[in-house]
Amino acid sequence: MDTVTTIPAVRARVAAWRAAGERVAFVPTMGNLHAGHISLIELARRHGQRFVASIFVNPMQFGPNEDFNHYPRTPDRDAQMLAAAGCDLMFLPDVAEMYPSGPEIATRVEVPGLSTILCGAFRPGHFEGVATVVAKLFNIVQPEVAVFGEKDFQQLTVIRRMVADLCLPVAIVGAPTMREADGLAMSSRNQYLDASQRGLAPRIHAELQRARERLARGERDPEQVGRDGAAALEAAGFRVDYFSVRRAADLQVPAAGDRDLVVLAAARLGRARLIDNLRVGD
Ligand code: PAF
């Protein structure tokens, strides 16, 4: 696997593959890779002959009081994991490469409606930062296929909408959430949990399962399901941002009769903000 840090170097490599008729699959990441990322990479490999991963901790998607400076950065270990997973190219740009005028004044991509609800209500500007950097990465790598984890279901939905609205020629594939043995969704931020918080953290998945079962059994009041899930997590010691039942297609509040649903939660334990979700009817 080669590692490149500049946009022209990625473009040259990808252009040569494309000239040889090879399909390029892409996984954008912020690094600090774990088994969840590797599962994205393995899925990406089924969709192309060449595989690119980017590692970039994107300042535009972090709020002023968030963990941008402390976000774990482990590029050497990430490179080893990517090489072992069969990656052809690792793109490791710095902030100046991605935002030559600085992230503050760069052109932004906004996805109205989707980016200000749920996590967007608690992290203003976050999804604008995600959509902007992903659009830039797509323009740099120009993949045929890109893979994103379903763990961040709202991010996946924002990206699908952006790709459709901007007519970007890339197929978006969602990869199932990878979980620890006790159900906790894998995340780089799990390492912020101390031992007792780590013991509590799987309650999010347990409450999502409980909510999903109620809905699958025909519970008619999704708002009550959300209130009950939030109350159970608060009682267990979480600070809950939201626990909500939404339509899977557009994350809007479901109307009577909507069947394709997703239950989403975001809750804080100490300095970790954990997100997770479950589709209803999976
Ligand atoms: O999910 C992530 O790791 C990031 O939000 C992404 C998609 C790499 C954009 O910075």
PDB file of all heavy atoms in Angstrom, residues 127-144:
ATOM      1  N   PHE A 127     -22.960  18.525  10.419  1.00  0.00           N
ATOM      2  CA  PHE A 127     -23.222  17.822   9.155  1.00  0.00           C
ATOM      3  C   PHE A 127     -22.838  18.666   7.937  1.00  0.00           C
ATOM      4  O   PHE A 127     -22.555  18.116   6.879  1.00  0.00           O
ATOM      5  CB  PHE A 127     -24.676  17.349   9.088  1.00  0.00           C
ATOM      6  CG  PHE A 127     -24.935  16.188  10.009  1.00  0.00           C
ATOM      7  CD1 PHE A 127     -25.751  16.322  11.115  1.00  0.00           C
ATOM      8  CD2 PHE A 127     -24.316  14.969   9.795  1.00  0.00           C
ATOM      9  CE1 PHE A 127     -25.971  15.259  11.978  1.00  0.00           C
ATOM     10  CE2 PHE A 127     -24.523  13.890  10.652  1.00  0.00           C
ATOM     11  CZ  PHE A 127     -25.346  14.040  11.747  1.00  0.00           C
ATOM     12  N   GLU A 128     -22.815  19.996   8.127  1.00  0.00           N
ATOM     13  CA  GLU A 128     -22.289  20.849   7.052  1.00  0.00           C
ATOM     14  C   GLU A 128     -20.805  20.512   6.851  1.00  0.00           C
ATOM     15  O   GLU A 128     -20.323  20.389   5.722  1.00  0.00           O
ATOM     16  CB  GLU A 128     -22.437  22.295   7.498  1.00  0.00           C
ATOM     17  CG  GLU A 128     -22.537  23.286   6.385  1.00  0.00           C
ATOM     18  CD  GLU A 128     -22.779  24.665   6.981  1.00  0.00           C
ATOM     19  OE1 GLU A 128     -21.820  25.289   7.467  1.00  0.00           O
ATOM     20  OE2 GLU A 128     -23.938  25.092   6.958  1.00  0.00           O
ATOM     21  N   GLY A 129     -20.098  20.336   7.955  1.00  0.00           N
ATOM     22  CA  GLY A 129     -18.674  19.971   7.880  1.00  0.00           C
ATOM     23  C   GLY A 129     -18.485  18.608   7.257  1.00  0.00           C
ATOM     24  O   GLY A 129     -17.582  18.402   6.440  1.00  0.00           O
ATOM     25  N   VAL A 130     -19.347  17.648   7.625  1.00  0.00           N
ATOM     26  CA  VAL A 130     -19.239  16.294   7.060  1.00  0.00           C
ATOM     27  C   VAL A 130     -19.533  16.335   5.558  1.00  0.00           C
ATOM     28  O   VAL A 130     -18.767  15.801   4.746  1.00  0.00           O
ATOM     29  CB  VAL A 130     -20.208  15.324   7.773  1.00  0.00           C
ATOM     30  CG1 VAL A 130     -20.281  13.996   7.030  1.00  0.00           C
ATOM     31  CG2 VAL A 130     -19.789  15.106   9.219  1.00  0.00           C
ATOM     32  N   ALA A 131     -20.659  16.973   5.189  1.00  0.00           N
ATOM     33  CA  ALA A 131     -21.045  16.999   3.765  1.00  0.00           C
ATOM     34  C   ALA A 131     -19.962  17.697   2.945  1.00  0.00           C
ATOM     35  O   ALA A 131     -19.615  17.259   1.843  1.00  0.00           O
ATOM     36  CB  ALA A 131     -22.394  17.705   3.599  1.00  0.00           C
ATOM     37  N   THR A 132     -19.405  18.770   3.480  1.00  0.00           N
ATOM     38  CA  THR A 132     -18.381  19.518   2.740  1.00  0.00           C
ATOM     39  C   THR A 132     -17.137  18.662   2.528  1.00  0.00           C
ATOM     40  O   THR A 132     -16.634  18.545   1.409  1.00  0.00           O
ATOM     41  CB  THR A 132     -18.019  20.807   3.507  1.00  0.00           C
ATOM     42  OG1 THR A 132     -19.205  21.582   3.663  1.00  0.00           O
ATOM     43  CG2 THR A 132     -16.963  21.614   2.760  1.00  0.00           C
ATOM     44  N   VAL A 133     -16.652  18.028   3.583  1.00  0.00           N
ATOM     45  CA  VAL A 133     -15.397  17.272   3.418  1.00  0.00           C
ATOM     46  C   VAL A 133     -15.624  16.035   2.555  1.00  0.00           C
ATOM     47  O   VAL A 133     -14.764  15.659   1.751  1.00  0.00           O
ATOM     48  CB  VAL A 133     -14.758  16.922   4.782  1.00  0.00           C
ATOM     49  CG1 VAL A 133     -15.392  15.707   5.440  1.00  0.00           C
ATOM     50  CG2 VAL A 133     -13.264  16.697   4.621  1.00  0.00           C
ATOM     51  N   VAL A 134     -16.807  15.409   2.677  1.00  0.00           N
ATOM     52  CA  VAL A 134     -17.060  14.217   1.860  1.00  0.00           C
ATOM     53  C   VAL A 134     -17.184  14.619   0.380  1.00  0.00           C
ATOM     54  O   VAL A 134     -16.653  13.937  -0.507  1.00  0.00           O
ATOM     55  CB  VAL A 134     -18.292  13.453   2.376  1.00  0.00           C
ATOM     56  CG1 VAL A 134     -18.707  12.355   1.408  1.00  0.00           C
ATOM     57  CG2 VAL A 134     -17.993  12.846   3.756  1.00  0.00           C
ATOM     58  N   ALA A 135     -17.845  15.755   0.103  1.00  0.00           N
ATOM     59  CA  ALA A 135     -17.928  16.218  -1.296  1.00  0.00           C
ATOM     60  C   ALA A 135     -16.524  16.487  -1.835  1.00  0.00           C
ATOM     61  O   ALA A 135     -16.195  16.130  -2.975  1.00  0.00           O
ATOM     62  CB  ALA A 135     -18.797  17.471  -1.382  1.00  0.00           C
ATOM     63  N   LYS A 136     -15.675  17.106  -1.018  1.00  0.00           N
ATOM     64  CA  LYS A 136     -14.303  17.385  -1.466  1.00  0.00           C
ATOM     65  C   LYS A 136     -13.545  16.075  -1.712  1.00  0.00           C
ATOM     66  O   LYS A 136     -12.870  15.916  -2.733  1.00  0.00           O
ATOM     67  CB  LYS A 136     -13.562  18.217  -0.396  1.00  0.00           C
ATOM     68  CG  LYS A 136     -14.001  19.669  -0.345  1.00  0.00           C
ATOM     69  CD  LYS A 136     -13.487  20.372   0.899  1.00  0.00           C
ATOM     70  CE  LYS A 136     -12.016  20.666   0.843  1.00  0.00           C
ATOM     71  NZ  LYS A 136     -11.659  21.822   0.007  1.00  0.00           N
ATOM     72  N   LEU A 137     -13.684  15.133  -0.779  1.00  0.00           N
ATOM     73  CA  LEU A 137     -12.982  13.850  -0.940  1.00  0.00           C
ATOM     74  C   LEU A 137     -13.472  13.107  -2.181  1.00  0.00           C
ATOM     75  O   LEU A 137     -12.685  12.492  -2.907  1.00  0.00           O
ATOM     76  CB  LEU A 137     -13.150  12.999   0.329  1.00  0.00           C
ATOM     77  CG  LEU A 137     -12.369  13.507   1.546  1.00  0.00           C
ATOM     78  CD1 LEU A 137     -12.867  12.841   2.823  1.00  0.00           C
ATOM     79  CD2 LEU A 137     -10.860  13.277   1.392  1.00  0.00           C
ATOM     80  N   PHE A 138     -14.779  13.173  -2.438  1.00  0.00           N
ATOM     81  CA  PHE A 138     -15.307  12.529  -3.662  1.00  0.00           C
ATOM     82  C   PHE A 138     -14.700  13.192  -4.902  1.00  0.00           C
ATOM     83  O   PHE A 138     -14.370  12.518  -5.868  1.00  0.00           O
ATOM     84  CB  PHE A 138     -16.828  12.622  -3.718  1.00  0.00           C
ATOM     85  CG  PHE A 138     -17.553  11.657  -2.792  1.00  0.00           C
ATOM     86  CD1 PHE A 138     -18.931  11.718  -2.673  1.00  0.00           C
ATOM     87  CD2 PHE A 138     -16.873  10.703  -2.063  1.00  0.00           C
ATOM     88  CE1 PHE A 138     -19.620  10.837  -1.843  1.00  0.00           C
ATOM     89  CE2 PHE A 138     -17.550   9.818  -1.224  1.00  0.00           C
ATOM     90  CZ  PHE A 138     -18.931   9.892  -1.115  1.00  0.00           C
ATOM     91  N   ASN A 139     -14.570  14.507  -4.884  1.00  0.00           N
ATOM     92  CA  ASN A 139     -13.984  15.193  -6.041  1.00  0.00           C
ATOM     93  C   ASN A 139     -12.495  14.884  -6.197  1.00  0.00           C
ATOM     94  O   ASN A 139     -11.964  14.892  -7.301  1.00  0.00           O
ATOM     95  CB  ASN A 139     -14.185  16.710  -5.924  1.00  0.00           C
ATOM     96  CG  ASN A 139     -15.603  17.099  -6.278  1.00  0.00           C
ATOM     97  OD1 ASN A 139     -16.234  16.436  -7.102  1.00  0.00           O
ATOM     98  ND2 ASN A 139     -16.118  18.130  -5.658  1.00  0.00           N
ATOM     99  N   ILE A 140     -11.839  14.631  -5.091  1.00  0.00           N
ATOM    100  CA  ILE A 140     -10.397  14.311  -5.146  1.00  0.00           C
ATOM    101  C   ILE A 140     -10.189  12.871  -5.633  1.00  0.00           C
ATOM    102  O   ILE A 140      -9.431  12.615  -6.555  1.00  0.00           O
ATOM    103  CB  ILE A 140      -9.761  14.508  -3.743  1.00  0.00           C
ATOM    104  CG1 ILE A 140      -9.798  15.992  -3.352  1.00  0.00           C
ATOM    105  CG2 ILE A 140      -8.333  13.963  -3.711  1.00  0.00           C
ATOM    106  CD1 ILE A 140      -9.531  16.259  -1.873  1.00  0.00           C
ATOM    107  N   VAL A 141     -10.908  11.930  -4.994  1.00  0.00           N
ATOM    108  CA  VAL A 141     -10.677  10.499  -5.280  1.00  0.00           C
ATOM    109  C   VAL A 141     -11.471  10.046  -6.517  1.00  0.00           C
ATOM    110  O   VAL A 141     -11.041   9.163  -7.254  1.00  0.00           O
ATOM    111  CB  VAL A 141     -11.044   9.642  -4.037  1.00  0.00           C
ATOM    112  CG1 VAL A 141     -10.889   8.155  -4.323  1.00  0.00           C
ATOM    113  CG2 VAL A 141     -10.193  10.049  -2.824  1.00  0.00           C
ATOM    114  N   GLN A 142     -12.640  10.630  -6.717  1.00  0.00           N
ATOM    115  CA  GLN A 142     -13.543  10.256  -7.818  1.00  0.00           C
ATOM    116  C   GLN A 142     -13.796   8.741  -7.853  1.00  0.00           C
ATOM    117  O   GLN A 142     -13.554   8.071  -8.873  1.00  0.00           O
ATOM    118  CB  GLN A 142     -13.005  10.775  -9.150  1.00  0.00           C
ATOM    119  CG  GLN A 142     -12.876  12.294  -9.091  1.00  0.00           C
ATOM    120  CD  GLN A 142     -12.561  12.932 -10.424  1.00  0.00           C
ATOM    121  OE1 GLN A 142     -12.405  12.268 -11.436  1.00  0.00           O
ATOM    122  NE2 GLN A 142     -12.462  14.239 -10.421  1.00  0.00           N
ATOM    123  N   PRO A 143     -14.281   8.204  -6.728  1.00  0.00           N
ATOM    124  CA  PRO A 143     -14.542   6.752  -6.690  1.00  0.00           C
ATOM    125  C   PRO A 143     -15.850   6.411  -7.393  1.00  0.00           C
ATOM    126  O   PRO A 143     -16.739   7.255  -7.501  1.00  0.00           O
ATOM    127  CB  PRO A 143     -14.680   6.482  -5.189  1.00  0.00           C
ATOM    128  CG  PRO A 143     -15.274   7.758  -4.656  1.00  0.00           C
ATOM    129  CD  PRO A 143     -14.713   8.877  -5.496  1.00  0.00           C
ATOM    130  N   GLU A 144     -15.972   5.168  -7.821  1.00  0.00           N
ATOM    131  CA  GLU A 144     -17.260   4.677  -8.321  1.00  0.00           C
ATOM    132  C   GLU A 144     -18.194   4.364  -7.152  1.00  0.00           C
ATOM    133  O   GLU A 144     -19.398   4.473  -7.259  1.00  0.00           O
ATOM    134  CB  GLU A 144     -17.079   3.410  -9.162  1.00  0.00           C
ATOM    135  CG  GLU A 144     -16.811   3.663 -10.637  1.00  0.00           C
ATOM    136  CD  GLU A 144     -15.344   3.941 -10.919  1.00  0.00           C
ATOM    137  OE1 GLU A 144     -14.503   3.698 -10.037  1.00  0.00           O
ATOM    138  OE2 GLU A 144     -15.039   4.404 -12.032  1.00  0.00           O
TER     139      GLU A 144
END
